Amino acid sequence: MRGRKREAMLRSLAACVALTLAVATCAAAQEESAAAAAVTRAKAKEQHVSRQQRDGAQKLFLEGARDMERKDVRAASVAFEQAAGLDPGNRRYALAAEVARQHLVEGLIQQADKDRILGHDDEARAAIAEAFRIDPSDPMIAQHADELASDRLAEAPAVRSDGNGLAAPIVLQPKPGKRSFHLHTNTRELLRQVLSAYGISPTLDDSVGAQTVRYDVDDIDFEQAEKTLGLATGTFLVPLDPARALVAKDTKENRAKYERQAVETIYLPGMTAEDLTDLTSVARLVFAADKASATPGQMALTVRAPVDDLTALNATVADLLAGRSELQLDVRMYEVDRTKAVELGAILPNQTTLFNVYSEASSILQSNSSLVQQIIASGLAAPGDWEAILAILVASGQLSNSILTSPFGVFGGGLSMTGVEYSGGSLNMQLNSSDVHSVDQMQLRVLDRDEAVIKAGERYPIETSSYSSLGASTSLGIPGLSTAGLSSTLQNLGVNLSSLQSAATEAIPQVQYQDIGLTLDVTPRIESQSNLSLKFDLKLSSLAGSTINGLPVLDSREYQAITSLGVGQSAVLVSTLSRQESNALTGIPGLADIPGFAAMTNKDTNVDYSELAIVITPHLVRRARMEFAEQMHPMPHQP
């Protein structure tokens, strides 16, 4: 045993030395490879590139771009390299090939790190070697190669001089081949004959009876013989060495007395204390491992049980640790606020004044006869030109209370000429419109059947109660107990009793914070290989603008739904947050109903609404097992 361990250690050291020399040799050849590559590229540029080569390079470049979109970096790197080889003068092809090469090298380094963590050192070394062949100049490759070589040296087991170690479980080594038996004898003799036929020497316990048993089987091996003997005789075997076995009656007491047990510690990093307790209960109740205890501080489960039970427990724990599928939710929130105000039409006066123009003019001329004579005498107007005389009187400001000083219009003719006073009006053509769009984008990682919570808004403080000290209102006046007391030191510092008493009676509020805004709970559930369901619970909360007993009133709306969609498809939630619309009509009643007079009425329309749209796209990041049942793990028969 000691020689085999030493030989294994020497082989490991030789492999590590070879790997280190290979890395050093490749590093030394780095400069020559770079120079040769530069010369080759220079010669390629000098060559003439035909139109067919350019078209082929363009096609390969597009193919490489599609491979990058499909996350196939290896194929993209090959396509870009071929495109750069066909058209060396196109710098874009060479740059794309370099970027794809770097991505490929980084992916191989990351894969090597994962394999190293999982203990797959051979796969890790293969990934590092491939990365070195692709880009020998990358310093990270040499660093990882040195780390793997150090790990290889550290893995060499230390050989103790005394050679002590744990022995493997005893396993029977029967003679190979199949045999047939046709026996009618007692139980003890049957066990001796069948086991001896396979080269196993039995030691029968006193619990084995001597009942008469008929045993007829054909062409069975030792494993089948062991099972059929147990069923026929009600016994079980306990290996003593590879060629001897103890046979005892299959009872609970005998199994506890003779059956060998093993102790194993299962480390479960990342598992919560509650899950560890549940797993301990499973080991005790399902696998009948009474000696199972959990150590939450170390995240470990220690079990003492038969080897077969431990094998089934390990397989079950491995299935449980495979976990659930993991999804990524791409959430986009769009809020659209729109305001539109339109004012269109004419505002006519509500009242006006009609008057006879000749009557009003005669009244003015008679009441201002002296001024009229002066105007005629000065030659400003002819004696019969009353219109000119009125115009001069109005322009000179001599008429202050006359209707003719205001704007007016006339209709008719002769003595029936009628004037209409202009009392004001307006013609409106206004349009005000505004659109506000706000976008919020986020990504969430969530396990299958776990709830993801998205909140957008603020926390509003609400005072629920308040309390203050009642010491100042008590009838007792005990300084330091019912009233504030001061020592001489505090008095010398300027602290007075009145300030302490006022501070003791101040009200101290109790505040509870309430979420105002949007709260969205999303629970994904994988249903098949490519379909899943999303459970939505949407809640919108806002202040109502009124209070009850000094406390604000909250407006809340809730929406719950379950939708099924494919992986990569999007679910859309649309909600109208608020909508306000007002219409104001100004004009003469009934005028807008007359055909042709609708424009003589002013219409003021205001529309203000806010909408919310949420787009959720689930992507499957890690898929767990999708089988309906895991592999069956048969348990040994327990009486």
Side-chain angles (χ1 to χ4, degrees):
M1 177 65 70
R2 188 181 305 170
R4 288 198 299 271
K5 291 184 177 179
R6 184 181 293 108
E7 183 179 358
M9 183 181 69
L10 292 176
R11 285 200 300 270
S12 301
L13 289 174
C16 294
V17 171
L19 178 62
T20 305
L21 290 176
V23 172
T25 303
C26 294
Q30 176 181 353
E31 296 182 357
E32 296 180 1
S33 300
V39 173
T40 303
R41 286 194 298 268
K43 292 182 179 180
K45 291 181 179 179
E46 296 177 356
Q47 296 176 359
H48 176 70
V49 179
S50 63
R51 181 180 181 84
Q52 184 178 3
Q53 289 177 333
R54 289 194 180 93
D55 294 340
Q58 180 68 19
K59 185 181 296 183
L60 289 172
F61 178 79
L62 295 177
E63 182 179 354
R66 287 191 293 267
D67 291 335
M68 290 293 290
E69 292 180 354
R70 293 191 293 265
K71 307 300 182 182
D72 191 356
V73 183
R74 189 182 300 273
S77 177
V78 174
F80 290 150
E81 290 286 352
Q82 293 178 356
L86 290 177
D87 191 359
N90 195 324
R91 184 177 179 80
R92 183 176 58 173
Y93 298 162
L95 182 60
E98 181 64 25
V99 172
R101 189 185 306 111
Q102 292 178 1
H103 280 286
L104 181 57
V105 170
E106 291 177 0
L108 290 172
I109 292 176
Q110 293 176 1
Q111 183 62 37
D113 290 338
K114 294 178 182 178
D115 292 336
R116 182 189 177 198
I117 293 173
L118 296 175
H120 304 159
D121 292 339
D122 294 335
E123 290 81 356
R125 292 186 182 89
I128 290 298
E130 184 179 359
F132 186 83
R133 288 195 299 269
I134 295 174
D135 190 2
S137 62
D138 196 331
M140 294 182 61
I141 300 176
Q143 177 182 353
H144 283 72
D146 294 339
E147 292 176 358
L148 291 176
S150 301
D151 293 344
R152 188 65 177 268
L153 292 175
E155 290 174 1
V159 181
R160 294 173 59 92
S161 58
D162 54 2
N164 294 333
L166 295 176
I170 299 176
V171 179
L172 293 176
Q173 297 180 0
K175 295 179 180 178
K178 296 182 178 182
R179 292 166 178 78
S180 299
F181 301 95
H182 301 282
L183 304 174
H184 185 208
T185 181
N186 61 69
T187 302
R188 301 176 72 89
E189 186 63 26
L190 174 64
L191 291 169
R192 289 191 184 95
Q193 292 186 24
V194 174
L195 294 177
S196 300
Y198 292 97
I200 302 299
S201 176
T203 300
L204 302 181
D205 186 67
D206 294 338
S207 61
V208 180
Q211 298 85 0
T212 302
V213 179
R214 181 179 294 276
Y215 187 71
D216 293 316
V217 293
D218 292 316
D219 296 332
I220 60 173
D221 54 16
F222 177 77
E223 183 178 358
Q224 295 171 338
E226 182 180 2
K227 293 179 180 179
T228 54
L229 278 176
L231 295 175
T233 62
T235 59
F236 71 99
L237 303 181
V238 179
L240 300 177
D241 58 36
R244 293 187 305 132
L246 172 66
V247 184
K249 190 69 175 179
D250 195 355
T251 62
K252 185 176 183 180
E253 293 78 11
N254 285 342
R255 283 191 175 270
K257 181 179 179 181
Y258 296 117
E259 195 171 29
R260 289 186 173 89
Q261 294 187 345
V263 178
E264 183 178 12
T265 301
I266 305 173
Y267 293 96
L268 306 168
M271 182 172 289
T272 62
E274 183 179 357
D275 293 340
L276 187 60
T277 303
D278 294 340
L279 187 58
T280 305
S281 301
V282 170
R284 291 176 179 174
L285 300 177
V286 178
F287 297 92
D290 298 334
K291 302 297 188 296
S293 61
T295 308
Q298 299 179 358
M299 291 301 162
L301 174 64
T302 302
V303 184
R304 180 182 178 185
V307 176
D308 294 338
D309 293 352
L310 289 179
T311 302
L313 176 61
N314 282 325
T316 303
V317 171
D319 293 337
L320 293 176
L321 291 181
R324 292 170 289 173
S325 299
E326 186 177 0
L327 298 100
Q328 175 178 306
L329 301 180
D330 292 341
V331 183
R332 296 180 178 87
M333 303 175 64
Y334 303 90
E335 183 178 355
V336 181
D337 298 325
R338 293 182 179 178
T339 302
K340 186 176 182 180
V342 178
E343 187 175 2
L344 182 63
I347 299 179
L348 300 179
N350 296 329
Q351 61 183 4
T352 187
T353 303
L354 300 178
F355 61 91
N356 186 273
V357 176
Y358 285 106
S359 297
E360 184 68 21
S362 300
S363 175
I364 293 173
L365 293 176
Q366 291 177 5
S367 58
N368 297 279
S369 57
S370 59
L371 294 176
V372 171
Q373 294 297 329
Q374 293 178 8
I375 293 173
I376 295 173
S378 62
L380 295 177
D385 193 0
W386 59 272
E387 295 179 352
I389 296 172
L390 289 175
I392 293 172
L393 291 174
V394 171
S396 62
Q398 298 297 325
L399 302 180
S400 58
N401 297 324
S402 176
I403 194 173
L404 296 180
T405 59
S406 301
F408 65 91
V410 296
F411 63 89
L415 297 177
S416 63
M417 180 182 294
T418 304
V420 180
E421 182 184 11
Y422 177 71
S423 301
S426 62
L427 181 64
N428 299 320
M429 298 180 65
Q430 295 182 1
L431 172 62
N432 295 323
S433 179
S434 63
D435 292 342
V436 179
H437 303 270
S438 60
V439 181
D440 192 4
Q441 183 175 356
M442 64 192 73
Q443 292 181 344
L444 295 91
R445 288 288 185 95
V446 60
L447 291 177
D448 182 24
R449 300 185 298 277
D450 274 1
E451 184 180 67
V453 181
I454 303 170
K455 292 185 177 182
E458 61 182 3
R459 303 192 68 193
Y460 186 80
I462 299 176
E463 182 180 351
T464 57
S465 62
S466 63
Y467 69 91
S468 61
S469 174
L470 300 178
S473 62
T474 183
S475 60
L476 297 178
I478 304 175
L481 294 179
S482 61
T483 61
L486 289 177
S487 64
S488 59
T489 303
L490 294 178
Q491 290 177 350
N492 295 332
L493 293 176
V495 179
N496 54 51
L497 186 60
S498 60
S499 62
L500 292 178
Q501 289 178 344
S502 62
T505 58
E506 290 183 357
I508 301 176
Q510 297 292 314
V511 178
Q512 178 182 353
Y513 287 90
Q514 182 70 31
D515 292 333
I516 302 296
L518 179 144
T519 302
L520 177 61
D521 298 340
V522 183
T523 304
R525 181 182 295 270
I526 296 179
E527 298 177 346
S528 63
Q529 293 286 345
S530 58
N531 293 327
L532 54 87
S533 63
L534 295 178
K535 179 182 177 182
F536 299 102
D537 189 353
L538 176 64
K539 182 177 181 181
L540 298 173
S541 301
S542 61
L543 297 175
S546 58
T547 60
I548 298 178
N549 295 330
L551 298 178
V553 178
L554 300 180
D555 283 341
S556 62
R557 290 178 290 171
E558 294 187 4
Y559 169 78
Q560 294 181 352
I562 299 177
T563 181
S564 297
L565 67 161
V567 176
Q569 296 180 353
S570 299
V572 182
L573 298 177
V574 180
S575 175
T576 301
L577 300 179
S578 64
R579 183 178 181 88
Q580 296 179 355
E581 184 174 353
S582 62
N583 293 319
L585 190 65
T586 303
I588 300 175
L591 185 62
D593 299 331
I594 301 176
F597 287 88
M600 304 302 293
T601 302
N602 188 76
K603 186 176 183 181
D604 190 0
T605 303
N606 292 281
V607 179
D608 186 2
Y609 64 92
S610 178
E611 293 182 345
L612 175 67
I614 303 176
V615 182
I616 301 178
T617 306
H619 300 282
L620 191 59
V621 178
R622 180 177 60 85
R623 185 187 299 276
R625 294 184 176 91
M626 299 299 296
E627 293 82 1
F628 293 100
E630 300 294 343
Q631 183 180 1
M632 184 181 297
H633 306 294
M635 298 286 294
H637 172 71
Q638 297 288 347

